[in-house]
């Protein structure tokens, strides 16, 4: 018996056994395998794949159309996406030990000595808003910024009108993308608000015949124990910023702190404020609200004084000496300041909601008083309080004169910018530099 390998077309796992007589001759060929039956494609799977592909195409088309419409309506989103892709912000890595060192250094500035030195340098002389001295101190601060921040001084002084091309370029230059300003800069902006200045002031007690029986000294005492204060004791008049010009005469009536509830309480008890001058003390509410409550109650004027009883235990009555010889309030001292109705809106009363540029459109103000007012000292208030009767109203008539000069006045805002690591954001730090600013 001979074992022969199978034909390549046969099953590789089968063999064939033949007898000697069954061995074919060389001229004969072995029979091949039966023909394979052709496989028919699965029609159901094919249709399913076609449907899935069609749905995918439709969904992709809808997504493309949606995003195309969104970017047409909001083109800034393209810039935002592009910025995220190509302008990855730098994330600084801070060492906490370095931060602690910086904080300790920061807390040492200012110290007591530097604070006193700065006060004497920048506030040693009067620098009323809009005055020549105001511009001088603005230039002093500009020089300070330039020196401390390493800013080269330009050939032309950087003194601009607020809102001008130069001013706007400086302000916006550090917050634009790409950033136009990468180094610290400093300049002075000039604004043009409506301010007023006291010209003439009088508080007098009149007799029955109209003659002046007593006239108040409205200036602070001159004491050379404080040489700086003594030198300029009458340089800036004792008046209220943005107060009403007027000359009124009538009885005075004491209304505690001049709060609305103080006026309401007296009105409920039968007090008529019409034609009277309110005498109130500082404290409780902002001085402008005292004037507002007085005019709404029917008063024709208001006097506001500083009462030492609000100073706690540190008073002359308790044995303390008055300034400059001791810590107690000097009885001739006067508190100046604005009487604008800042609860209505602050800033320039003729440009509410927008800056006081040189060419600004101005309106008739509704945030300033319609009755005159004056700040007075405790010495003056004591004399007026002695005129009050049992009903808190004086029998004598009091004259209040307040003449002011209202006009558009240039003021100066010294600005400095230090570019940070986040160009789209800004931290604003500031304080008013001019003295007795009538808008504050």
């Amino acid at each position: 018996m001979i074992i022969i390998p199978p034909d390549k077309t046969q099953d590789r796992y089968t063999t064939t056994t033949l007898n000697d007589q069954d061995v074919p001759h060389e001229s004969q060929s072995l029979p091949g395998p039966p023909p394979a039956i052709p496989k028919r494609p699965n029609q159901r799977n094919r249709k399913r794949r076609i449907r899935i592909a069609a749905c995918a195409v439709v969904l992709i088309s809808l997504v493309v159309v949606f995003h195309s419409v969104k970017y047409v309506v909001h083109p800034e989103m393209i810039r935002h996406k592009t910025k995220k892709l190509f302008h990855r912000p730098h994330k600084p890595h801070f060492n906490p030990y370095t931060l602690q060192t910086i904080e300790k250094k920061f807390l040492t500035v200012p110290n007591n000595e530097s604070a006193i030195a700065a006060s004497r340098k920048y506030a040693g002389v009067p620098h009323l808003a809009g005055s020549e001295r105001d511009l001088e101190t603005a230039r002093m601060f500009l020089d300070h910024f330039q020196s401390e921040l390493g800013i080269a001084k330009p050939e032309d002084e950087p003194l601009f009108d607020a809102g001008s091309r130069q001013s706007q370029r400086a302000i916006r230059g550090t917050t634009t993308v790409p950033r136009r300003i990468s180094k610290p800069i400093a300049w002075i902006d000039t604004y043009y608000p409506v301010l007023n200045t006291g010209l003439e002031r009088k508080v007098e007690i009149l007799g029955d015949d109209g003659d002046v029986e007593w006239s108040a000294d409205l200036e602070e005492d001159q004491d050379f124990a404080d040489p700086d204060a003594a030198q300029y004791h009458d340089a800036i008049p004792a008046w209220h910023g943005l107060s009403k010009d007027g000359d009124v005469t009538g009885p005075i009536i004491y209304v505690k702190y001049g709060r609305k509830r103080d006026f309401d309480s007296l009105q409920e008890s039968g007090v008529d404020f019409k034609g009277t001058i309110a005498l109130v003390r500082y404290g409780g509410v902002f001085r402008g609200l005292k004037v507002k409550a007085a005019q709404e109650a029917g008063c024709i004027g208001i006097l506001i004084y500083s009462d030492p009883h609000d100073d706690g235990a540190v008073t002359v009555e308790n044995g303390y000496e008055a300034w400059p010889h001791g810590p107690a309030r000097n009885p001739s001292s006067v508190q100046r300041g604005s009487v604008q109705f800042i609860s209505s809106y602050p800033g320039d009363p003729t440009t509410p909601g927008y800056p006081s540029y040189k060419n600004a459109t101005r309106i008739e103000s509704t945030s300033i008083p319609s009755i005159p007012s004056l700040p007075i000292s405790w010495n003056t208030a004591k004399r007026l309080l002695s005129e009050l009767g049992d009903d808190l109203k004086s029998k004598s008539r009091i004259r209040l004169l307040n003449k002011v000069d209202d006009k558009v006045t240039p003021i100066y805002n010294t600005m400095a910018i230090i570019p940070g690591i986040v160009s789209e954001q800004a931290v604003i730090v500031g304080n008013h530099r001019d003295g007795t600013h009538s808008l504050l």
Side-chain angles (χ1 to χ4, degrees), residues 223-278:
D223 192 324
F224 283 96
D226 184 349
D228 292 333
Q231 182 179 0
Y232 302 108
H233 79 285
D234 59 352
I236 296 177
W239 102 105
H240 282 144
L242 295 177
S243 57
K244 177 68 175 178
D245 184 284
D247 186 355
V248 296
T249 301
I252 60 169
I253 184 168
Y254 176 67
V255 200
K256 299 182 180 178
Y257 288 103
R259 299 165 294 194
K260 187 177 186 306
R261 66 172 180 264
D262 295 328
F263 283 95
D264 290 344
S265 176
L266 290 176
Q267 284 180 322
E268 290 171 1
S269 65
V271 175
D272 183 11
F273 289 100
K274 186 176 181 180
T276 64
I277 298 174

